[in-house]
Amino acid sequence: MSVKLGIRGKFFLVSLAFIAVVDVMIGVALDHQLRGVLQSRISDELGRHVRSARDGFELAQLPPTIEAVDAVADRVGRSMDARVTVVDPEGVVLGDSVLDSAAVAAMESHAQRPEIVAALANGEGRSERFSTTLDTEMTYIAVPLYDDGSVIRVGLTMDNVQETLAGLRTLVVLTGVLTSLAAALLAALASEFLSRSLRRLITRAHAIASNPAEIARLPEQATELGGLAGSFNSLVDELERTMGTNAAERHRFGTVLDTMDHAVVALDDEGRLTLVNRHARQMMKLPEAVVGRPLLDYVRVPELHDLVSAAADSKAASGEFEYGATPRHKIRAHVTGQDAGGVVIVMHDVTEIRKLERIRKDFVANVSHELQTPIAVIRANTETLLAGALDHPERSVEFVQAVHRHAERLGRLVADLLDISRIEAGQYAMDVQSVDLDEMVDCTIEGLATEAAARKMEVRRGFDDAPSVLADDNALEQVLVNLVGNAIQYSDGGREVEVAIVDQDSLVRIEVRDDGPGIDPKHHKRVFERFYRVDSGRAREKGGTGLGLAIVKHLVDAMGGSVGVDARRPRGSTFWFTLPKAPR
Amino acid sequence: MSSDNGAPANDLAANPSTTPTASSSLAAVRDRLLRMAGRVEQMIAESQSALVGRDVALAGRVIDLDQEVNQAELDIDEMCLAVLARGQLSSADLRFVTLAMKMVTDLERIADLAVNICERAIDLASANGIVVHPDIPRMSVLVRDLVRRAIDAFVDRDVDKARTVIEKDDEVDTYYRVIFGDLLQQMQVQPEGLNEWIHVQSVAKWLERMGDHATNLAELVIFMVQGRDVRHPALRSAER
């Protein structure tokens, strides 16, 4: 059926069909029953008629001629209101009540009529058939007459029966239509009630499906549908419980994921994001609504996508890649393929770890190198002295001076190293208080004036009035002396060192600018590492320990600031550090 | 993000005029294009690292990556032609395909420029003293950001983001003028370093060219989303 019916329509149609079938069956049964009753009554009547007619004829002793018999047959037939026919032993019709004598003489032989054959054989014959003579449906009964082979037959037309039956049929159809209409009305009402209850149930189920938080129960009634509502309500309870458990589970899972120190990202088999934890959002700088979008829309790191492809084939893959603008972060990713398709990516930022690994490796190599040089010089000089130079006092002074110079250097190195480890361990006693930068900078410039003059350089104060900062004055002095001292020492060809101050809201940025050859950007990130040398040979020859900038960094860190170096245009470098501003 | 112009890229399936096979081919084009863009962004970043860090090995690796980008260009062009040959595209999808073919060209040019920078990085690795102008790393970071933004604008169909790329290209040009001026001065002061200065000047020029390609990408994105050509505004106003 192409037309879709609602439950109400279906119910209505089924009821209607049922009623129609019952109506038709009743009509057919009634029709059949009535016809039977009428026919048996007619045949009883005919039986009585034919017997009394026979008795009449036998008593009358009529001659077997058409003239005599037909007149009597006509009278008898009229009084009986039936057709009376008399047939002689040869089958010739001698009299018929519905036809005149001339017509009777012209009639064909009736010897082969079924009722007449049966009457001669069994003493009585019946037949219901179409009479060609009268052109109508007739019922006949025939019995033998005179015992000489003659037969008398009485027939009645069935028209009466047909009329009665037709009237009855009209009645049956009429009542059928009326009862159908009444039943249809009732069915419509019943189906409306039923469908209303069902619709309520459906609406409620839809409401729960679309908004699981809004769970409402149905009123339970003591009917079949009430039972359905009861099961529905217990289903709702079960759903509510499951949802509660799920929500708790999801919340716990979400909390665990978000508090994780690793970035976690899950992708489906088409590379779309299905799960992102907080750390991943921060690491990849993802916007809020990313679930369902391809990872490629946000993160276009070829190495990561290669790892994802590799994991999809062989279950697991790991690797490292760089991510972000500046500074580029080193990220280690482990990608695991899921059986159900898709992958889970776990990432962590290893920038700091890799940097520390490199610094430690370099430190061990550098410190041995830095210590070895003075020790080798001291050993060589003392060996020479012991080998006989001691006997030549005028020459031995030179050797002893060299020993002294390198012992001093070793001493400075060890002192600096101790300083750094003390600062690192938090054992450097810091007395942080408000310090006047004006005075501190003036003092530093004054202290280094001689050294600057020796190199034909000038140290200049590039500001008028400086705010006070929160710092330890010894530490701050050492930071300034190291930076300005470095600027003087390493600015070959430079003329001027400027100390400038940039007010940055809650911070003060102190800059030491030189116009020397500058530092290749390659080294910018590493100059504050211990023993890191931009140009190793030249720096050592100037007597540096390679620890000055490392000490600066550690002291500034300890005072809550930061340090850095920038290139200047067209040449030179700017070393800077920040300190918190003192409250006024 | 305007969603009223049909949606060739983000929800291809939602477009009734595009057959399912065409929409999956368009999604494949998009995927390949974004991967190629990621590779190009990486090449810009690493060309700068190689130049500043005097890392000859890294420069070599970047030069090798160019093969992959060239292959991607050929593949994407072929995929686009296949989609076009099948026909039956909506006007929005048609814009997407033509856009993809043009974007690929710009991306490939940017990769070539990164290769040029790496070749100079190899030459400059053994130079004495400081040769890389302090603004070069900053300029490189800016250019990479512009390429990234242009691609993000493409992904998000974000016209405003595309416009910021076009505006910010002026900053790239400013960097170029400053660097060029400084180098000219250096050449006069230190003529013995002329060779190196010219190399550095080329690097700055190429970065500036990359910025122009990023602008092209942004203009194409505006065309894709709005169906309006924003290239050559002067020509357009002259027509009227």
Side-chain angles (χ1 to χ4, degrees):
Chain A
M1 184 181 269
S2 62
V3 182
K4 281 201 172 171
L5 287 171
I7 185 159
R8 195 169 38 163
K10 278 179 189 158
F11 186 80
F12 178 73
L13 274 189
V14 167
S15 312
L16 206 61
F18 179 71
I19 290 162
V21 165
V22 168
D23 267 357
V24 166
M25 276 166 68
I26 288 173
V28 167
L30 271 179
D31 190 87
H32 185 259
Q33 189 77 19
L34 203 62
R35 184 188 283 267
V37 168
L38 286 172
Q39 273 174 351
S40 75
R41 190 176 303 152
I42 285 168
S43 84
D44 284 355
E45 201 181 328
L46 276 177
R48 278 197 305 277
H49 284 337
V50 82
R51 275 188 300 276
S52 57
R54 181 192 63 191
D55 292 350
F57 273 96
E58 281 183 353
L59 284 175
Q61 291 290 340
L62 293 174
T65 60
I66 292 175
E67 292 77 26
V69 175
D70 190 48
V72 176
D74 284 355
R75 272 189 70 179
V76 173
R78 242 187 335 272
S79 67
M80 280 180 184
D81 193 19
R83 181 184 178 192
V84 176
T85 314
V86 177
V87 180
D88 81 349
E90 278 76 41
V92 177
V93 179
L94 294 178
D96 195 297
S97 60
V98 294
L99 301 171
D100 58 29
S101 309
V104 168
M107 281 175 76
E108 56 177 0
S109 168
H110 271 46
Q112 292 311 309
R113 292 288 191 273
E115 64 275 7
I116 288 170
V117 174
L120 288 174
N122 307 327
E124 187 179 292
R126 278 161 195 266
S127 172
E128 285 169 32
R129 61 186 173 78
F130 193 79
S131 160
T132 49
T133 319
L134 296 176
D135 198 19
T136 179
E137 191 81 26
M138 296 292 285
T139 300
Y140 296 107
I141 291 190
V143 287
L145 184 68
Y146 309 138
D147 293 324
D148 63 352
S150 299
V151 173
I152 181 161
R153 184 184 74 172
V154 176
L156 261 182
T157 170
M158 293 299 282
D159 284 351
N160 291 343
V161 178
Q162 298 296 354
E163 271 168 35
T164 317
L165 282 176
L168 182 75
R169 272 195 206 113
T170 318
L171 193 69
V172 165
V173 168
L174 203 67
T175 50
V177 167
L178 281 175
T179 51
S180 291
L181 280 177
L185 195 69
L186 284 174
L189 275 176
S191 58
E192 171 63 28
F193 281 128
L194 181 68
S195 82
R196 197 177 290 169
S197 316
L198 282 175
R199 269 207 309 271
R200 201 162 52 222
L201 210 64
I202 290 165
T203 320
R204 209 57 68 87
H206 272 309
I208 290 170
S210 60
N211 185 11
E214 184 98 12
I215 288 181
R217 276 165 200 77
L218 286 172
E220 292 181 31
Q221 293 155 348
T223 62
E224 293 87 339
L225 276 180
L228 184 55
S231 340
F232 179 79
N233 283 347
S234 59
L235 202 68
V236 165
D237 287 341
E238 184 58 33
L239 184 67
E240 202 173 23
R241 246 195 319 280
T242 316
M243 268 174 23
T245 326
N246 273 356
E249 201 62 37
R250 206 169 43 234
H251 181 73
R252 195 157 49 219
F253 183 59
T255 314
V256 169
L257 266 182
D258 278 350
T259 47
M260 261 175 88
D261 192 19
H262 287 58
V264 180
V265 168
L267 303 180
D268 66 10
D269 48 0
E270 285 176 26
R272 282 193 286 259
L273 291 155
T274 54
L275 181 146
V276 179
N277 77 346
R278 198 175 51 189
H279 201 88
R281 262 179 225 287
Q282 286 166 357
M283 183 187 274
M284 300 293 175
K285 303 208 166 40
L286 298 177
E288 268 308 309
V290 292
V291 169
R293 299 274 304 267
L295 175 65
L296 204 55
D297 279 6
Y298 305 103
V299 183
R300 292 184 288 273
V301 179
E303 289 91 340
L304 181 59
H305 290 280
D306 290 347
L307 284 179
V308 169
S309 309
D313 298 338
S314 69
K315 295 295 151 213
S318 9
E320 263 181 51
F321 57 86
E322 292 195 344
Y323 188 73
T326 40
R328 302 267 283 166
H329 285 263
K330 269 198 166 55
I331 297 193
R332 178 154 191 85
H334 186 79
V335 187
T336 320
Q338 300 297 104
D339 287 336
V343 296
V344 172
I345 309 171
V346 179
M347 291 172 285
H348 57 279
D349 193 331
V350 290
T351 317
E352 209 54 32
I353 298 174
R354 294 287 176 267
K355 190 176 136 197
L356 289 177
E357 277 171 2
R358 196 195 59 220
I359 290 176
R360 202 189 49 214
K361 214 170 71 197
D362 288 356
F363 174 73
V364 173
N366 287 336
V367 80
S368 347
H369 185 75
E370 294 292 337
L371 291 172
Q372 238 167 22
T373 319
I375 289 171
V377 173
I378 292 170
R379 183 186 290 146
N381 281 298
T382 46
E383 273 170 7
T384 315
L385 285 170
L386 289 174
L390 270 177
D391 301 334
H392 306 281
E394 70 283 3
R395 303 284 306 278
S396 63
V397 176
E398 264 177 56
F399 294 117
V400 176
Q401 272 170 349
V403 170
H404 177 73
R405 213 168 45 241
H406 282 91
E408 285 271 294
R409 186 172 147 69
L410 262 181
R412 272 205 308 279
L413 207 64
V414 172
D416 281 357
L417 272 177
L418 279 175
D419 274 353
I420 289 183
S421 48
R422 266 211 301 277
I423 303 166
E424 267 187 334
Q427 286 167 354
Y428 189 95
M430 286 271 182
D431 178 16
V432 175
Q433 54 188 355
S434 181
V435 178
D436 185 3
L437 261 182
D438 271 326
E439 199 186 311
M440 186 64 83
V441 170
D442 285 345
C443 190
T444 310
I445 293 175
E446 217 168 280
L448 291 166
T450 347
E451 199 177 330
R455 290 172 187 273
K456 298 198 172 61
M457 287 179 72
E458 192 199 343
V459 183
R460 207 164 61 78
R461 188 181 125 161
F463 59 93
D464 296 330
D465 189 26
S468 296
V469 290
L470 281 179
D472 174 271
D473 48 4
N474 282 329
L476 179 55
E477 187 177 5
Q478 191 172 357
V479 168
L480 278 170
V481 166
N482 278 9
L483 289 181
V484 177
N486 268 5
I488 296 169
Q489 263 191 336
Y490 299 109
S491 296
D492 293 335
R495 303 249 169 76
E496 188 181 81
V497 175
E498 183 188 7
V499 181
I501 284 189
V502 184
D503 203 325
Q504 288 182 324
D505 214 15
S506 63
L507 292 175
V508 178
R509 176 169 154 134
I510 300 108
E511 297 189 347
V512 178
R513 303 167 181 166
D514 67 59
D515 54 354
I519 297 170
D520 196 295
K522 176 186 176 180
H523 306 296
H524 280 185
K525 277 185 216 150
R526 301 195 59 188
V527 283
F528 293 99
E529 289 172 22
R530 284 172 287 196
F531 298 117
Y532 187 84
R533 302 249 192 216
V534 172
D535 183 349
S536 45
R538 217 164 50 84
R540 211 169 285 116
E541 155 198 319
K542 293 187 184 223
T545 58
L547 290 167
L549 288 176
I551 290 172
V552 165
K553 180 177 163 46
H554 278 95
L555 286 174
V556 173
D557 281 351
M559 288 188 286
S562 50
V563 294
V565 59
D566 290 328
R568 282 184 86 196
R569 286 195 318 106
R571 59 202 307 262
S573 313
T574 299
F575 281 87
W576 54 265
F577 63 98
T578 59
L579 286 174
K581 203 185 277 181
R584 285 187 186 275
Chain B
M1 183 162 168
S2 56
S3 54
D4 53 338
N5 292 291
N10 292 334
D11 29 15
L12 293 157
N15 199 330
S17 61
T18 303
T19 57
T21 36
S23 74
S24 71
S25 320
L26 290 178
V29 169
R30 184 173 189 269
D31 185 85
R32 194 84 168 85
L33 189 69
L34 289 182
R35 279 170 194 267
M36 178 185 182
R39 189 60 89 191
V40 171
E41 285 172 33
Q42 180 201 12
M43 286 172 74
I44 303 174
E46 290 187 350
S47 66
Q48 188 246 325
S49 301
L51 179 71
V52 172
R54 301 192 175 199
D55 191 336
V56 175
L58 181 61
R61 283 201 298 278
V62 177
I63 293 170
D64 290 343
L65 283 178
D66 192 41
Q67 281 304 322
E68 192 187 307
V69 172
N70 290 343
Q71 187 60 49
E73 183 193 18
L74 296 178
D75 290 352
I76 293 168
D77 273 351
E78 203 178 305
M79 288 159 88
C80 287
L81 287 174
V83 173
L84 285 178
R86 240 179 278 132
Q88 303 254 317
L89 292 173
S90 68
S91 63
D93 289 340
L94 204 57
R95 284 208 296 272
F96 170 75
V97 172
T98 43
L99 163 90
M101 295 180 80
K102 287 183 171 226
M103 279 180 82
V104 160
T105 315
D106 277 315
L107 286 172
E108 195 272 339
R109 284 298 301 145
I110 296 175
D112 284 350
L113 293 170
V115 167
N116 289 352
I117 292 177
C118 285
E119 284 163 359
R120 289 296 170 268
I122 294 172
D123 292 341
L124 288 169
S126 50
N128 290 321
I130 303 149
V131 287
V132 178
H133 190 283
D135 276 350
I136 293 256
R138 286 193 273 271
M139 186 175 178
S140 169
V141 168
L142 177 61
V143 166
R144 188 157 59 90
D145 182 51
L146 291 190
V147 173
R148 198 186 152 71
R149 269 172 202 249
I151 301 298
D152 281 344
F154 164 72
V155 164
D156 293 335
R157 306 171 55 76
D158 186 340
V159 173
D160 292 340
K161 197 176 266 180
R163 288 198 198 289
T164 63
V165 174
I166 299 172
E167 283 159 19
K168 273 185 160 275
D169 185 50
D170 290 348
E171 289 179 32
V172 177
D173 296 345
T174 309
Y175 269 130
Y176 176 66
R177 272 198 301 279
V178 169
I179 294 171
F180 185 77
D182 286 353
L183 288 173
L184 214 57
Q185 212 180 332
Q186 295 270 28
M187 288 174 196
Q188 286 155 357
V189 177
Q190 275 179 283
E192 68 275 11
L194 201 59
N195 205 18
E196 282 83 4
W197 303 135
I198 287 175
H199 282 339
V200 176
Q201 192 271 330
S202 310
V203 169
K205 182 71 201 161
W206 292 326
L207 285 173
E208 191 263 338
R209 291 290 306 140
M210 284 184 185
D212 293 345
H213 285 293
T215 307
N216 278 358
L217 290 174
E219 286 169 350
L220 289 171
V221 170
I222 296 175
F223 172 64
M224 174 186 78
V225 177
Q226 297 193 330
R228 197 157 62 86
D229 205 332
V230 293
R231 294 173 299 176
H232 314 301
L235 258 180
R236 235 148 261 284
S237 57
E239 273 171 20
R240 279 189 222 113

